[in-house]
């Protein structure tokens, strides 16, 4: 399994070097970027970058059995967490916090993440789909993310926060719109730290986007980088992404840390590419993302995260169901003996 990165129909091979220094993204070359939620950053520069449609997998994907998944928070623990966040909101400590859980299943050690990426491309196509495979650095990720974290074109930067989810547009509630507006304000604030004063705007607010099996409310926030600002400043000013933390971000991070029982890893981080020569790049929020961990010789675990934004208007049972909805189709694609994609797959801890 050679090192590679693939985003859309761009394939990068010929790994040259790896660094954790974000300043490298403004140096030279084409980089794959993986930033995990806990703050770890890995930037991998590749020499050969070319158009290449995703081919059929060389190896079949030996996914885990559909009933082999367990959750870091079961239904009771998750709904109790929602109630606890509402108490924090009532106390004036936070307006919104994103509560997540990590699903895990044992995996055949011979599994190749690129084979899973091929299944995701067919069963759950996504605008920011990507694969990063760096076996020597413990990185094996396949994402079907629908959410833009940061897009850079020269000095112009866009972010596309998602908040508000339903099976159909009719399922979206006033709570979903309020949730989106809160996070848009947070993203405006974050971009304002690194953009020139007066340049941060919101070209689109609460647009309904259709994705496989569900709909989202999506907004666009745009700004012009201040003179001398680059990727290091962008990441320092905006990470972790606002849509997967909450508002105010500092309070939300503290509350999340007290309630979640497993590290998020690349889930809710940033995954994408940067072309330093052309001053362009695109990082997705690491949602709808699978990753493989190998805790020892002959052992492998597949992980996947799901969560929901909690506000004062949240109903604990409905928020649990939102995490189920977000996970169901993806787990069906990644598992053996899967129900047809989109059917009600269960992700409750056993």
């Amino acid at each position: 399994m050679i090192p590679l990165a693939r985003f859309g129909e761009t394939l990068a091979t010929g790994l040259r070097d790896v660094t954790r220094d974000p300043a490298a993204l403004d140096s030279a070359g084409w980089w794959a970027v993986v930033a995990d939620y806990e703050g770890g950053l890995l930037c991998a520069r590749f020499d050969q970058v070319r158009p290449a449609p995703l081919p059929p997998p060389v190896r079949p994907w030996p996914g885990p059995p559909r009933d082999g998944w367990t959750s870091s928070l079961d239904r009771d623990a998750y709904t109790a967490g929602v109630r606890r966040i509402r108490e924090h909101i009532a106390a004036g400590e936070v307006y919104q916090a994103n509560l997540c859980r990590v699903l895990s299943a044992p995996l055949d050690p011979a599994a190749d993440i690129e084979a899973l990426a091929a299944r995701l491309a067919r069963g759950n196509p996504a605008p920011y789909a990507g694969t990063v495979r760096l076996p020597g650095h413990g990185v094996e990720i396949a994402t079907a993310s629908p959410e833009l974290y940061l897009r850079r074109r020269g000095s112009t930067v866009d972010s596309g926060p998602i908040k508000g989810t339903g099976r159909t547009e009719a399922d979206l509630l006033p709570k979903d719109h309020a949730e989106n507006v809160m996070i848009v304000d947070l993203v405006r604030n974050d971009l304002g730290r690194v953009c020139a004063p007066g340049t941060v705007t919101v070209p689109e607010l609460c647009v309904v986007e259709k994705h496989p099996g569900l709909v989202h409310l999506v907004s666009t926030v745009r700004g012009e980088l201040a003179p001398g600002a680059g990727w290091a400043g962008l990441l320092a000013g905006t990470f972790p992404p606002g849509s997967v933390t909450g508002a105010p971000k500092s309070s939300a991070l503290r509350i999340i840390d007290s309630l979640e029982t497993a590290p998020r890893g690349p889930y809710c981080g940033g995954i994408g590419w940067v072309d330093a020569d052309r001053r362009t790049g695109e990082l997705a929020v690491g949602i709808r993302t699978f990753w493989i961990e190998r805790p020892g010789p002959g052992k492998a675990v597949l992980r996947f995260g799901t969560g929901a934004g909690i506000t004062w208007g949240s109903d604990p049972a409905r928020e649990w169901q939102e995490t189920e909805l977000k996970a169901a189709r993806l787990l069906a694609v990644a598992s053996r003996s899967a129900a047809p994609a989109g059917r009600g797959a269960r992700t409750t801890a056993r």
Side-chain angles (χ1 to χ4, degrees), residues 63-123:
R66 186 61 192 85
D67 61 356
W69 293 90
T70 59
S71 175
S72 59
L73 295 173
D74 64 15
R75 182 184 181 116
D76 288 345
Y78 190 87
T79 53
V82 174
R83 289 190 291 272
R84 183 70 185 119
I85 290 171
R86 292 184 76 252
E87 291 173 3
H88 286 291
I89 295 171
E93 299 171 39
V94 70
Y95 300 110
Q96 177 182 161
N98 207 69
L99 184 61
C100 298
R101 54 195 181 100
V102 174
L103 311 175
S104 304
L107 185 66
D108 183 336
D112 179 2
I113 198 70
E114 196 175 27
L116 175 55
R119 289 191 64 156
L120 290 172
R122 295 192 304 271

Side-chain angles (χ1 to χ4, degrees), residues 15-26 30-35 40-46 132 134 137 139 231 235 272 274:
L15 180 65
R16 181 195 297 187
D17 52 15
V18 174
T19 181
R20 298 186 181 277
D21 182 3
L25 301 178
D26 282 305
W30 191 99
W31 299 82
V33 180
V34 176
L41 176 68
L42 199 70
C43 307
R45 180 159 48 180
F46 289 87
V132 182
L134 301 169
H137 299 273
V139 174
W231 282 104
L235 292 171
V274 168

Side-chain angles (χ1 to χ4, degrees), residues 167-180:
R167 291 185 185 275
T168 68
E169 186 173 351
D171 292 331
L172 296 171
L173 302 174
K175 171 256 182 190
D176 294 302
H177 289 262
E179 196 179 339
N180 192 290

Side-chain angles (χ1 to χ4, degrees), residues 22-340:
L25 301 178
D26 282 305
S27 59
W30 191 99
W31 299 82
V33 180
V34 176
D36 66 44
Y37 174 81
E38 285 74 29
L41 176 68
L42 199 70
C43 307
R45 180 159 48 180
F46 289 87
D47 282 333
Q48 290 134 35
V49 182
R50 64 187 187 277
L54 186 66
V58 175
R59 303 179 182 90
W61 170 247
R66 186 61 192 85
D67 61 356
W69 293 90
T70 59
S71 175
S72 59
L73 295 173
D74 64 15
R75 182 184 181 116
D76 288 345
Y78 190 87
T79 53
V82 174
R83 289 190 291 272
R84 183 70 185 119
I85 290 171
R86 292 184 76 252
E87 291 173 3
H88 286 291
I89 295 171
E93 299 171 39
V94 70
Y95 300 110
Q96 177 182 161
N98 207 69
L99 184 61
C100 298
R101 54 195 181 100
V102 174
L103 311 175
S104 304
L107 185 66
D108 183 336
D112 179 2
I113 198 70
E114 196 175 27
L116 175 55
R119 289 191 64 156
L120 290 172
R122 295 192 304 271
N124 197 95
Y128 305 106
T131 312
V132 182
R133 189 176 70 194
L134 301 169
H137 299 273
V139 174
E140 298 175 69
I141 296 171
T143 183
S145 177
E147 182 172 5
L148 175 66
Y149 167 36
L150 293 170
R151 177 187 294 122
R152 181 179 175 186
R153 297 289 182 268
S155 63
T156 302
V157 180
D158 286 352
S159 186
I162 287 176
K163 273 298 164 197
T165 301
R167 291 185 185 275
T168 68
E169 186 173 351
D171 292 331
L172 296 171
L173 302 174
K175 171 256 182 190
D176 294 302
H177 289 262
E179 196 179 339
N180 192 290
V181 170
M182 277 189 256
I183 294 305
V184 165
D185 278 344
L186 186 153
V187 173
R188 288 175 62 240
N189 214 30
D190 283 356
L191 283 181
R193 297 173 181 170
V194 69
C195 287
T199 66
V200 178
T201 61
V202 183
E204 295 182 311
L205 183 65
C206 293
V207 175
V208 176
E209 280 190 4
K210 294 182 179 180
H211 295 274
L214 47 73
V215 300
H216 288 307
L217 287 179
V218 184
S219 296
T220 301
V221 184
R222 179 172 297 155
E224 296 292 325
L225 288 174
W231 282 104
L234 268 172
L235 292 171
T238 64
F239 197 84
S243 63
V244 292
T245 53
K249 187 183 281 188
S250 58
S251 298
L253 288 170
R254 173 178 54 80
I255 292 166
I256 288 167
D257 187 59
S258 73
L259 294 174
E260 294 184 8
T261 59
R264 295 186 184 180
Y267 171 60
C268 294
I271 304 168
W273 59 272
V274 168
D275 188 332
D277 298 324
R278 293 176 173 80
R279 298 175 67 225
T280 61
E282 192 170 83
L283 305 183
V285 179
I287 58 174
R288 317 292 199 273
T289 296
F290 292 90
W291 70 102
I292 298 174
E293 293 181 0
R294 300 184 185 272
K299 297 180 179 179
V301 179
L302 184 63
R303 303 200 193 277
F304 177 86
T306 185
I310 312 305
T311 66
W312 176 248
S314 290
D315 171 75
R318 183 182 173 93
E319 298 299 345
W320 169 263
Q321 287 302 323
E322 181 174 320
T323 71
E324 292 272 280
L325 173 63
K326 290 173 177 175
R329 187 182 185 95
L330 279 297
L331 295 190
V333 170
S335 302
R336 297 197 311 267
S337 302

